[in-house]
Amino acid sequence: AYFMVMDLIDTGVNIDRQDQFGRTAVILAAKSNDAPMVDILINCEPDLDLRDCIGRTALMIAAENGYANVAESLMNGGADLDLRDFKGMSALMYAGKHGHQAIFDLLVNKGADREARSASGHAAEHFAEAHRKN
């Protein structure tokens, strides 16, 4: 797969092209927990903040699923830490909601907004606390 991707990149394919669900190559690589592919794609300077059909970025998907290596690559690549999906959820909120403390801490250390609130009015810390109690 890597050689195919490199061949496509060499031919000038639009690295930010989105499918019918709004997914880009970076979003698909993040969803598959493929950190090496994410790194290859980041080197091609894609827009890391493009969203899928429900407003999620690659970083939100990585945070939601606990893919720490992918999340770290995206953060280091310049992904916006505080974007929100259509429900008002940020990557930090997803990490907290799903109990991915390492990603939550990494996002906080990189400067993610802990005070931002989702559409339901809850801050990221609320989601993290609720998960810790369960």
Side-chain angles (χ1 to χ4, degrees):
Y2 298 104
F3 294 114
M4 181 181 286
V5 169
M6 295 310 294
D7 284 344
L8 287 169
I9 291 167
D10 288 343
T11 64
V13 69
N14 177 3
I15 199 72
D16 290 327
R17 183 172 180 215
Q18 293 176 283
D19 68 10
Q20 70 268 29
F21 302 107
R23 300 173 302 191
T24 63
V26 173
I27 288 173
L28 291 171
K31 189 176 174 89
S32 300
N33 194 23
D34 192 341
M37 181 61 72
V38 168
D39 290 334
I40 288 169
L41 293 167
I42 286 173
N43 285 331
C44 299
E45 301 180 7
D47 182 345
L48 297 178
D49 299 325
L50 289 175
R51 301 161 184 263
D52 66 13
C53 63
I54 57 174
R56 295 176 310 166
T57 64
L59 181 56
M60 290 174 200
I61 291 167
E64 178 180 23
N65 291 291
Y67 301 153
N69 290 338
V70 170
E72 187 166 20
S73 289
L74 292 164
M75 286 183 248
N76 291 337
D80 188 321
L81 307 180
D82 294 317
L83 289 178
R84 311 286 188 78
D85 69 8
F86 297 151
K87 293 185 268 181
M89 296 283 288
S90 68
L92 186 63
M93 293 172 195
Y94 274 115
K97 181 178 181 179
H98 294 281
H100 303 303
Q101 191 65 45
I103 297 174
F104 187 92
D105 293 342
L106 186 59
L107 283 159
V108 168
N109 290 336
K110 293 276 189 177
D113 184 359
R114 294 179 75 151
E115 302 303 317
R117 299 195 174 273
S118 68
S120 64
H122 296 104
E125 191 62 40
H126 165 83
F127 292 107
E129 284 296 321
H131 188 273
R132 283 186 214 118
K133 290 179 184 174
N134 292 332

PDB file of all heavy atoms in Angstrom, residues 60-76:
ATOM      1  N   MET A  60      -9.725  14.104  15.730  1.00  0.00           N
ATOM      2  CA  MET A  60     -10.879  13.679  16.538  1.00  0.00           C
ATOM      3  C   MET A  60     -11.061  12.166  16.472  1.00  0.00           C
ATOM      4  O   MET A  60     -11.333  11.514  17.483  1.00  0.00           O
ATOM      5  CB  MET A  60     -12.153  14.366  16.043  1.00  0.00           C
ATOM      6  CG  MET A  60     -12.208  15.834  16.320  1.00  0.00           C
ATOM      7  SD  MET A  60     -13.693  16.535  15.530  1.00  0.00           S
ATOM      8  CE  MET A  60     -13.248  18.249  15.461  1.00  0.00           C
ATOM      9  N   ILE A  61     -10.902  11.613  15.285  1.00  0.00           N
ATOM     10  CA  ILE A  61     -11.056  10.164  15.104  1.00  0.00           C
ATOM     11  C   ILE A  61      -9.980   9.412  15.879  1.00  0.00           C
ATOM     12  O   ILE A  61     -10.261   8.416  16.557  1.00  0.00           O
ATOM     13  CB  ILE A  61     -11.052   9.811  13.608  1.00  0.00           C
ATOM     14  CG1 ILE A  61     -12.330  10.348  12.946  1.00  0.00           C
ATOM     15  CG2 ILE A  61     -10.904   8.313  13.390  1.00  0.00           C
ATOM     16  CD1 ILE A  61     -12.312  10.356  11.437  1.00  0.00           C
ATOM     17  N   ALA A  62      -8.744   9.889  15.811  1.00  0.00           N
ATOM     18  CA  ALA A  62      -7.657   9.250  16.557  1.00  0.00           C
ATOM     19  C   ALA A  62      -7.913   9.346  18.063  1.00  0.00           C
ATOM     20  O   ALA A  62      -7.726   8.357  18.792  1.00  0.00           O
ATOM     21  CB  ALA A  62      -6.323   9.896  16.197  1.00  0.00           C
ATOM     22  N   ALA A  63      -8.360  10.508  18.534  1.00  0.00           N
ATOM     23  CA  ALA A  63      -8.632  10.695  19.959  1.00  0.00           C
ATOM     24  C   ALA A  63      -9.781   9.811  20.429  1.00  0.00           C
ATOM     25  O   ALA A  63      -9.716   9.210  21.503  1.00  0.00           O
ATOM     26  CB  ALA A  63      -8.939  12.159  20.242  1.00  0.00           C
ATOM     27  N   GLU A  64     -10.817   9.716  19.625  1.00  0.00           N
ATOM     28  CA  GLU A  64     -11.986   8.897  19.966  1.00  0.00           C
ATOM     29  C   GLU A  64     -11.630   7.421  20.101  1.00  0.00           C
ATOM     30  O   GLU A  64     -12.146   6.722  20.968  1.00  0.00           O
ATOM     31  CB  GLU A  64     -13.056   9.073  18.890  1.00  0.00           C
ATOM     32  CG  GLU A  64     -14.293   8.240  19.103  1.00  0.00           C
ATOM     33  CD  GLU A  64     -15.331   8.439  18.016  1.00  0.00           C
ATOM     34  OE1 GLU A  64     -14.988   8.870  16.887  1.00  0.00           O
ATOM     35  OE2 GLU A  64     -16.501   8.149  18.297  1.00  0.00           O
ATOM     36  N   ASN A  65     -10.735   6.963  19.247  1.00  0.00           N
ATOM     37  CA  ASN A  65     -10.397   5.540  19.208  1.00  0.00           C
ATOM     38  C   ASN A  65      -9.166   5.161  20.021  1.00  0.00           C
ATOM     39  O   ASN A  65      -8.814   3.992  20.087  1.00  0.00           O
ATOM     40  CB  ASN A  65     -10.224   5.104  17.749  1.00  0.00           C
ATOM     41  CG  ASN A  65     -11.548   5.109  17.020  1.00  0.00           C
ATOM     42  OD1 ASN A  65     -12.411   4.293  17.290  1.00  0.00           O
ATOM     43  ND2 ASN A  65     -11.726   6.061  16.118  1.00  0.00           N
ATOM     44  N   GLY A  66      -8.515   6.141  20.612  1.00  0.00           N
ATOM     45  CA  GLY A  66      -7.358   5.843  21.455  1.00  0.00           C
ATOM     46  C   GLY A  66      -6.084   5.564  20.688  1.00  0.00           C
ATOM     47  O   GLY A  66      -5.189   4.894  21.199  1.00  0.00           O
ATOM     48  N   TYR A  67      -5.970   6.113  19.493  1.00  0.00           N
ATOM     49  CA  TYR A  67      -4.786   5.882  18.666  1.00  0.00           C
ATOM     50  C   TYR A  67      -3.741   6.957  18.966  1.00  0.00           C
ATOM     51  O   TYR A  67      -3.612   7.952  18.252  1.00  0.00           O
ATOM     52  CB  TYR A  67      -5.159   5.885  17.190  1.00  0.00           C
ATOM     53  CG  TYR A  67      -6.186   4.847  16.790  1.00  0.00           C
ATOM     54  CD1 TYR A  67      -7.021   5.058  15.701  1.00  0.00           C
ATOM     55  CD2 TYR A  67      -6.332   3.651  17.482  1.00  0.00           C
ATOM     56  CE1 TYR A  67      -7.959   4.111  15.309  1.00  0.00           C
ATOM     57  CE2 TYR A  67      -7.272   2.697  17.111  1.00  0.00           C
ATOM     58  CZ  TYR A  67      -8.077   2.938  16.024  1.00  0.00           C
ATOM     59  OH  TYR A  67      -9.001   1.994  15.638  1.00  0.00           O
ATOM     60  N   ALA A  68      -2.980   6.743  20.027  1.00  0.00           N
ATOM     61  CA  ALA A  68      -2.058   7.751  20.536  1.00  0.00           C
ATOM     62  C   ALA A  68      -0.969   8.132  19.529  1.00  0.00           C
ATOM     63  O   ALA A  68      -0.651   9.315  19.387  1.00  0.00           O
ATOM     64  CB  ALA A  68      -1.425   7.275  21.843  1.00  0.00           C
ATOM     65  N   ASN A  69      -0.377   7.152  18.857  1.00  0.00           N
ATOM     66  CA  ASN A  69       0.690   7.467  17.901  1.00  0.00           C
ATOM     67  C   ASN A  69       0.163   8.311  16.747  1.00  0.00           C
ATOM     68  O   ASN A  69       0.835   9.242  16.297  1.00  0.00           O
ATOM     69  CB  ASN A  69       1.353   6.193  17.375  1.00  0.00           C
ATOM     70  CG  ASN A  69       2.169   5.491  18.437  1.00  0.00           C
ATOM     71  OD1 ASN A  69       2.586   6.102  19.416  1.00  0.00           O
ATOM     72  ND2 ASN A  69       2.389   4.207  18.247  1.00  0.00           N
ATOM     73  N   VAL A  70      -1.022   7.971  16.268  1.00  0.00           N
ATOM     74  CA  VAL A  70      -1.635   8.743  15.183  1.00  0.00           C
ATOM     75  C   VAL A  70      -1.956  10.149  15.673  1.00  0.00           C
ATOM     76  O   VAL A  70      -1.649  11.140  14.998  1.00  0.00           O
ATOM     77  CB  VAL A  70      -2.901   8.036  14.643  1.00  0.00           C
ATOM     78  CG1 VAL A  70      -3.666   8.941  13.699  1.00  0.00           C
ATOM     79  CG2 VAL A  70      -2.536   6.727  13.959  1.00  0.00           C
ATOM     80  N   ALA A  71      -2.545  10.254  16.850  1.00  0.00           N
ATOM     81  CA  ALA A  71      -2.897  11.562  17.404  1.00  0.00           C
ATOM     82  C   ALA A  71      -1.653  12.429  17.573  1.00  0.00           C
ATOM     83  O   ALA A  71      -1.656  13.612  17.214  1.00  0.00           O
ATOM     84  CB  ALA A  71      -3.615  11.396  18.738  1.00  0.00           C
ATOM     85  N   GLU A  72      -0.591  11.846  18.082  1.00  0.00           N
ATOM     86  CA  GLU A  72       0.637  12.612  18.280  1.00  0.00           C
ATOM     87  C   GLU A  72       1.214  13.087  16.949  1.00  0.00           C
ATOM     88  O   GLU A  72       1.650  14.230  16.824  1.00  0.00           O
ATOM     89  CB  GLU A  72       1.663  11.794  19.045  1.00  0.00           C
ATOM     90  CG  GLU A  72       2.879  12.594  19.420  1.00  0.00           C
ATOM     91  CD  GLU A  72       3.743  11.910  20.452  1.00  0.00           C
ATOM     92  OE1 GLU A  72       3.648  10.685  20.626  1.00  0.00           O
ATOM     93  OE2 GLU A  72       4.535  12.630  21.085  1.00  0.00           O
ATOM     94  N   SER A  73       1.201  12.222  15.938  1.00  0.00           N
ATOM     95  CA  SER A  73       1.685  12.632  14.611  1.00  0.00           C
ATOM     96  C   SER A  73       0.865  13.800  14.070  1.00  0.00           C
ATOM     97  O   SER A  73       1.424  14.753  13.517  1.00  0.00           O
ATOM     98  CB  SER A  73       1.616  11.465  13.628  1.00  0.00           C
ATOM     99  OG  SER A  73       2.591  10.494  13.922  1.00  0.00           O
ATOM    100  N   LEU A  74      -0.450  13.719  14.218  1.00  0.00           N
ATOM    101  CA  LEU A  74      -1.320  14.785  13.722  1.00  0.00           C
ATOM    102  C   LEU A  74      -1.084  16.087  14.469  1.00  0.00           C
ATOM    103  O   LEU A  74      -1.038  17.158  13.868  1.00  0.00           O
ATOM    104  CB  LEU A  74      -2.783  14.355  13.812  1.00  0.00           C
ATOM    105  CG  LEU A  74      -3.177  13.216  12.866  1.00  0.00           C
ATOM    106  CD1 LEU A  74      -4.504  12.602  13.293  1.00  0.00           C
ATOM    107  CD2 LEU A  74      -3.235  13.710  11.424  1.00  0.00           C
ATOM    108  N   MET A  75      -0.919  15.999  15.787  1.00  0.00           N
ATOM    109  CA  MET A  75      -0.640  17.199  16.571  1.00  0.00           C
ATOM    110  C   MET A  75       0.690  17.814  16.149  1.00  0.00           C
ATOM    111  O   MET A  75       0.785  19.028  15.944  1.00  0.00           O
ATOM    112  CB  MET A  75      -0.620  16.866  18.063  1.00  0.00           C
ATOM    113  CG  MET A  75      -1.989  16.628  18.648  1.00  0.00           C
ATOM    114  SD  MET A  75      -1.883  16.340  20.428  1.00  0.00           S
ATOM    115  CE  MET A  75      -2.355  14.610  20.473  1.00  0.00           C
ATOM    116  N   ASN A  76       1.713  16.970  16.021  1.00  0.00           N
ATOM    117  CA  ASN A  76       3.032  17.464  15.610  1.00  0.00           C
ATOM    118  C   ASN A  76       3.017  18.007  14.188  1.00  0.00           C
ATOM    119  O   ASN A  76       3.802  18.882  13.849  1.00  0.00           O
ATOM    120  CB  ASN A  76       4.087  16.374  15.757  1.00  0.00           C
ATOM    121  CG  ASN A  76       4.359  16.036  17.205  1.00  0.00           C
ATOM    122  OD1 ASN A  76       4.115  16.831  18.110  1.00  0.00           O
ATOM    123  ND2 ASN A  76       4.861  14.833  17.435  1.00  0.00           N
TER     124      ASN A  76
END
